[in-house]
Amino acid sequence: MPIYQGNMQSETNQSLIERAASRINPAIAYGPRVEASEPENDGIDLRELWRVIVNRRGTIIFFTLSLLLLVWAVVYLMTPTYRASLTLQIDREDLRVVKIEEVTPAETTGTSLDYYPTQYELLKSRNLAQRVIDQLNLGDRLPEQSVLSSIKRWLATQFKGLNNYIIGKKAEPPPQAAHAAVVMQAFSNALVVDPVRNSRLVKLYYNSVEPELAASVLNTLAKAFVDLNLERRFEASQYARNFLQERLQQIKAKLEDSEREMVEFATKQGIVNVSGDENKDIVAQRLADLNIGLAAVEKQRIGAEAVYRKMLDTRGHGLSQVLDSKIIQDLKDSKAKLEAQYQENLKIYKPAYPIMVQLRGQIDQTNRQIEQEVANIRGAITTTYEAAKTEESLLRTKLDQIKGDVLNLQGHNIQLSILRREADTNRELYNGLLQRYKEIGAAAGIGTNNISVVDEATPPIFPYKPNLPLYTLLALVIGLMGGIGLAFLREHFDDTFKQPEEIEKLLGLSVLGFIPWIQRKRGETRPVALMSNDKPGSPLAEAYRSLGATLVFSTSSGMPRSLAVTSATIGEGKSTSVVNLGIQFARAGKKVLLIDADLRNPVLHRLFEINNDVGLTNLLTGDQARSANIAKSTQVPDLFVITSGPMAPNPAELLAGSKMVDLLALASEKFDQILVDSPPVMGLADALILGNLCDGTLLSIDMNHTRRDYIRAACKRLRGARVHLIGVLLTKIQAHYGTYSYYHDSNYYSGVASSVKNLAS
């Protein structure tokens, strides 16, 4: 027969709600409403950051492993490159086998700052590279292209073709010239010249896919560089020999002419000392003394200027000279004593008293003396600085005067110096021309060199690139940083609640309990809702015992007699909470009734394995014959349940009827505690109706999955219907929520479980 047999025309929903409200204790009808507010961000919470990292560890690990696998794939596609090394020593002067003046420019430490950079550029020159390429026939031994290099080369070819198509085809170089250019470019890219700092050593590196070839190239390069240096010296010596040979016949006549002209010029000018060394030495000595004095004075001036500038930048008594002054320290001590005496007398006399006036005058006089002494010190610093500047200026003026005397002396003796130098040069050339000509010829064949190989290149054993450990470390570091950033980005867009404090601030409701997430074992079919009965010492049972104790203090009159448990959406653990709360109340000695008022998706009959042919819908539709004794006992003593019964097409109208009110009133007389499993709030009116019929409503929230907007909308609907919300229950709390890991402390519960079992027995 049909479940629903008539419509409810005698009452409206509003009248039913008012009648239900009259049955409820006014003291607990509506609890104090706390104004909700958005959570405030008072700063960086390190525990919150750690919670995000732990919660999103899957994202971090996935991103890191993905980047690591990508790096490994790239490394796998790269061709291993080996690097050989060779050490050269480059001296400024070569070993002198015979004592001969060099015909090439002599290099000295103080004047040739470009010597070593020149040698480094010679090592990288195209001429030297071409010698090595020809000797080792590198043109026919181009390195094999890796997969990545082949891809880059193909992309470069495609872009080059596109560029030629857009701007017009350019003339291509001959294949042989292009091949030579490729070989030269590859050689230059593979060669690395690395000077050792503060030494005469230079390290050469060559990268190649063949370790033997890398070592061979460096050894050949070093030998070619030595040969090139010797050839350059030999060519310079050969040129000198030809030049001397041409000049040999001219020197004799020039020597005679130069000596004759020098004697005639000295006689004509009346110069007695032809060499002119004495006059020159006196002026040079004076110039050197002035230079030394100027350097010392300049040093004193710099020191005085530093002190002077420090004085200008320092205000008050912060100067070190002031702080170190014995006079100022004594004056400050006297001032301190006078001020102490003044403060002591101030307890007896007024400031206008003659003794006090005299003390104040002494203090002021001491202050003036301190300021005068500070001014004297600052003035002394300024005077010292000005004196140093003046002394430096005078020495510079004198130095300029001596320089003028030197120039005048050089001007008077310039012609004599020219003649004397020419005569001396011709004489030296004439006396040693033939001997030097033969020595240069002999020295050119000796082959001494200032370049030596310190460590020859050997074939490397391990590849230089790719450096798998380094790339792996970088991938791990970048992956962890990127994964953490991605985790915080996902956390930013996650619209669920993270902490119970957020719920309390945003909803204005107290958090009454935390229910841990229970990981079911494989093959386990027993419902989690009955765990409180099966395992009274489990974390789940303890969590619901704690919730029951908290509910006793949730209102001013104690535990609500009839309590509806609802949620914003499905799957938030409200039915499990109803069953476990009922079990805990029953084990505490109360007679408990569970009502499955979720007429759209009932679950209590499945949890307790009870026949659902007769239930709440039979009673609400007036089927008295079938609704007698609908409260059925369970395997838990003192725990009874009213199942939902057959499905009804209009659950909201049935729950809003007077029979539901009568059922709750009758159940309040028969049972100590009534727990109603209410449907979700969103999209349905059932929870609003049941909330008005019960003494209190508990909102179950799954923090991990339910969005804030849903929870806020559910609270808004419940409050709009004047439902008495006593608080919220957080379910499915994961162990990684640091604050709630208390429920997973196995050491604690190993002792609690045994105690509970003993009490139960």
Side-chain angles (χ1 to χ4, degrees):
M1 70 175 183
I3 302 297
Y4 184 71
Q5 297 179 347
N7 55 9
M8 303 178 184
Q9 300 177 354
S10 61
E11 299 173 326
T12 62
N13 291 340
Q14 182 64 30
S15 64
L16 290 176
I17 294 174
E18 292 176 355
R19 185 175 63 184
S22 65
R23 295 175 179 267
I24 301 174
N25 188 349
I28 62 172
Y30 300 100
R33 180 175 177 179
V34 182
E35 292 297 330
S37 62
E38 291 291 341
E40 297 180 359
N41 185 11
D42 296 330
I44 298 177
D45 190 351
L46 297 180
R47 291 178 296 179
E48 177 68 14
L49 298 181
W50 177 248
R51 183 194 64 80
V52 173
I53 293 175
V54 173
N55 290 353
R56 303 289 182 178
R57 61 185 180 274
T59 300
I60 299 173
I61 294 174
F62 175 77
F63 185 85
T64 303
L65 291 180
S66 300
L67 183 61
L68 191 61
L69 292 176
L70 177 62
V71 169
W72 283 348
V74 172
V75 170
Y76 176 77
L77 295 176
M78 296 174 63
T79 301
T81 301
Y82 295 86
R83 166 172 281 193
S85 63
L86 181 144
T87 305
L88 285 179
Q89 179 177 344
I90 303 177
D91 297 319
R92 291 184 178 273
E93 296 182 358
D94 59 348
L95 180 63
R96 298 290 182 86
V97 179
V98 293
K99 191 176 181 179
I100 305 174
E101 293 292 335
E102 285 286 351
V103 296
T104 55
E107 305 292 346
T108 59
T109 304
T111 60
S112 60
L113 299 178
D114 58 347
Y115 175 73
Y116 282 108
T118 302
Q119 301 301 316
Y120 304 150
E121 292 300 322
L122 288 176
L123 284 169
K124 296 184 289 185
S125 63
R126 295 175 60 87
N127 183 17
L128 185 61
Q130 191 62 48
R131 289 192 179 196
V132 177
I133 292 173
D134 294 340
Q135 291 182 22
L136 298 179
N137 197 18
L138 297 181
D140 300 333
R141 301 177 62 179
L142 284 176
E144 298 180 0
Q145 297 290 331
S146 63
V147 177
L148 293 178
S149 299
S150 301
I151 294 175
K152 291 180 181 179
R153 190 171 184 180
W154 180 83
L155 291 175
T157 304
Q158 297 301 319
F159 281 113
K160 185 177 181 181
L162 179 62
N163 185 56
N164 292 337
Y165 175 78
I166 295 175
I167 65 176
K169 186 173 181 60
K170 296 182 179 180
E172 296 290 340
Q176 185 176 1
H179 178 75
V182 171
V183 174
M184 180 62 68
Q185 184 65 33
F187 184 90
S188 300
N189 293 337
L191 179 64
V192 178
V193 179
D194 183 19
V196 179
R197 189 175 181 182
N198 299 327
S199 71
R200 292 175 292 176
L201 301 178
V202 57
K203 288 186 175 294
L204 304 180
Y205 301 100
Y206 189 82
N207 303 326
S208 176
V209 296
E210 302 178 19
E212 294 80 6
L213 179 61
S216 178
V217 167
L218 285 183
N219 291 327
T220 305
L221 179 70
K223 185 177 182 304
F225 184 60
V226 172
D227 294 341
L228 182 63
N229 187 60
L230 292 176
E231 290 176 5
R232 182 172 59 87
R233 291 174 178 272
F234 180 79
E235 291 176 358
S237 300
Q238 186 65 29
Y239 175 79
R241 289 180 63 196
N242 296 335
F243 175 77
L244 290 176
Q245 190 175 8
E246 294 176 0
R247 295 284 295 173
L248 184 59
Q249 299 177 358
Q250 303 174 10
I251 294 303
K252 185 177 181 179
K254 282 193 174 184
L255 177 59
E256 294 176 354
D257 294 338
S258 59
E259 289 181 344
R260 187 182 301 109
E261 291 178 1
M262 182 182 65
V263 174
E264 292 177 355
F265 180 79
T267 303
K268 183 177 180 180
Q269 297 297 329
I271 298 176
V272 178
N273 186 7
V274 179
S275 63
D277 292 336
E278 294 180 359
N279 297 332
K280 188 175 182 180
D281 291 342
I282 295 174
V283 177
Q285 183 62 36
R286 293 184 62 192
L287 184 61
D289 294 341
L290 284 175
N291 276 325
I292 295 174
L294 179 61
V297 171
E298 186 177 9
K299 181 178 180 181
Q300 295 177 358
R301 191 266 305 166
I302 291 174
E305 184 177 359
V307 176
Y308 177 74
R309 291 183 179 276
K310 181 66 178 177
M311 179 197 70
L312 295 180
D313 295 337
T314 305
R315 296 292 183 266
H317 300 170
L319 282 174
S320 59
Q321 291 84 350
V322 174
L323 297 176
D324 296 339
S325 176
K326 177 64 176 174
I327 298 176
I328 294 179
Q329 293 300 326
D330 295 341
L331 290 174
K332 287 184 177 180
D333 293 341
S334 301
K335 177 185 174 182
K337 293 178 181 179
L338 291 173
E339 288 180 346
Q341 184 178 359
Y342 182 84
Q343 295 296 329
E344 185 67 26
N345 292 339
L346 193 60
K347 299 177 182 178
I348 303 174
Y349 306 106
K350 293 184 178 181
Y353 197 73
I355 296 177
M356 301 299 291
V357 172
Q358 182 180 3
L359 286 176
R360 173 53 59 187
Q362 292 177 357
I363 293 173
D364 294 340
Q365 178 63 26
T366 304
N367 284 332
R368 286 192 295 271
Q369 291 177 356
I370 292 174
E371 295 299 329
Q372 181 62 38
E373 187 63 27
V374 171
N376 294 338
I377 293 175
R378 298 174 72 93
I381 293 174
T382 303
T383 303
T384 303
Y385 171 61
E386 294 295 336
K389 285 176 58 179
T390 303
E391 186 177 0
E392 182 183 5
S393 177
L394 292 175
L395 282 177
R396 289 188 182 277
T397 303
K398 188 63 177 177
L399 182 62
D400 293 339
Q401 180 180 355
I402 296 300
K403 288 181 179 179
D405 295 341
V406 172
L407 293 176
N408 292 332
L409 180 61
Q410 291 177 352
H412 289 115
N413 296 332
I414 185 170
Q415 186 63 35
L416 181 61
S417 299
I418 292 174
L419 295 176
R420 183 174 57 252
R421 183 168 55 253
E422 184 177 359
D424 294 341
T425 302
N426 291 334
R427 185 181 300 106
E428 292 176 1
L429 289 176
Y430 179 76
N431 293 331
L433 187 58
L434 184 59
Q435 181 180 357
R436 181 164 177 76
Y437 174 78
K438 294 179 180 181
E439 288 177 351
I440 290 176
I446 292 175
T448 59
N449 192 34
N450 63 327
I451 300 172
S452 59
V453 177
V454 178
D455 293 324
E456 291 188 351
T458 57
I461 300 176
F462 301 102
Y464 170 69
K465 289 190 304 185
N467 191 341
L468 183 59
L470 177 61
Y471 291 169
T472 301
L473 179 60
L474 291 177
L476 286 175
V477 173
I478 297 175
L480 288 175
M481 295 177 62
I484 292 174
L486 183 60
F488 279 100
L489 182 64
R490 291 189 60 188
E491 186 74 12
H492 176 73
F493 288 104
D494 187 2
D495 195 29
T496 60
F497 286 103
K498 310 301 185 304
Q499 296 290 340
E501 292 80 4
E502 298 179 8
I503 296 178
E504 294 177 350
K505 291 182 180 180
L506 188 62
L507 304 181
L509 296 173
S510 299
V511 178
L512 303 181
F514 306 97
I515 308 303
W517 168 264
I518 302 301
Q519 184 67 34
R520 303 188 66 181
K521 298 180 180 179
R522 180 176 298 179
E524 186 178 357
T525 59
R526 185 71 168 169
V528 177
L530 300 179
M531 181 177 289
S532 294
N533 185 54
D534 299 340
K535 301 177 180 180
S538 64
L540 185 70
E542 183 64 27
Y544 280 107
R545 276 196 293 272
S546 176
L547 174 62
T550 305
L551 288 173
V552 175
F553 306 99
S554 60
T555 65
S556 59
S557 59
M559 172 73 185
R561 191 69 172 270
S562 58
L563 177 66
V565 181
T566 185
S567 62
T569 59
I570 61 174
E572 298 194 56
K574 58 181 180 58
S575 299
T576 301
S577 298
V578 168
V579 174
N580 280 278
L581 272 176
I583 293 173
Q584 296 303 323
F585 289 146
R587 294 180 69 88
K590 291 185 178 181
K591 191 175 181 181
V592 183
L593 174 64
L594 307 183
I595 301 177
D596 192 350
D598 191 351
L599 304 181
R600 305 171 192 272
N601 185 25
V603 295
L604 293 187
H605 67 282
R606 294 198 298 268
L607 296 177
F608 289 102
E609 299 179 354
I610 299 175
N611 192 339
N612 196 30
D613 293 340
V614 178
L616 181 63
T617 54
N618 299 98
L619 177 64
L620 297 181
T621 55
D623 188 358
Q624 299 295 335
R626 303 190 63 186
S627 60
N629 298 323
I630 61 173
K632 303 171 185 178
S633 62
T634 64
Q635 60 266 41
V636 181
D638 294 331
L639 180 63
F640 299 85
V641 60
I642 298 178
T643 59
S644 62
M647 299 294 292
N650 48 2
E653 295 181 9
L654 290 178
L655 296 175
S658 60
K659 288 184 171 53
M660 187 65 189
V661 178
D662 296 337
L663 173 63
L664 292 175
L666 180 61
S668 299
E669 298 175 359
K670 300 289 185 179
F671 295 92
D672 299 324
Q673 190 66 52
I674 304 170
L675 299 176
V676 180
D677 185 6
S678 173
V681 178
M682 301 305 296
L684 302 175
D686 303 12
L688 307 181
I689 297 172
L690 292 171
N692 276 282
L693 297 180
C694 295
D695 296 340
T697 300
L698 181 65
L699 182 63
S700 178
I701 298 176
D702 182 1
M703 285 182 56
N704 299 329
H705 300 93
T706 308
R707 297 178 57 185
R708 298 188 182 193
D709 295 341
Y710 292 165
I711 299 175
R712 295 176 69 178
C715 291
K716 184 177 181 181
R717 291 196 67 192
L718 292 172
R719 282 171 171 161
R722 299 182 64 78
V723 174
H724 179 211
L725 272 173
I726 62 175
V728 298
L729 172 64
L730 304 182
T731 62
K732 302 180 182 180
I733 300 297
Q734 301 287 346
H736 55 251
Y737 276 80
T739 306
Y740 320 115
S741 59
Y742 166 81
Y743 295 114
H744 297 264
D745 191 342
S746 58
N747 294 329
Y748 174 77
Y749 276 103
S750 61
V752 173
S754 60
S755 301
V756 174
K757 289 181 180 178
N758 294 333
L759 291 174
S761 61

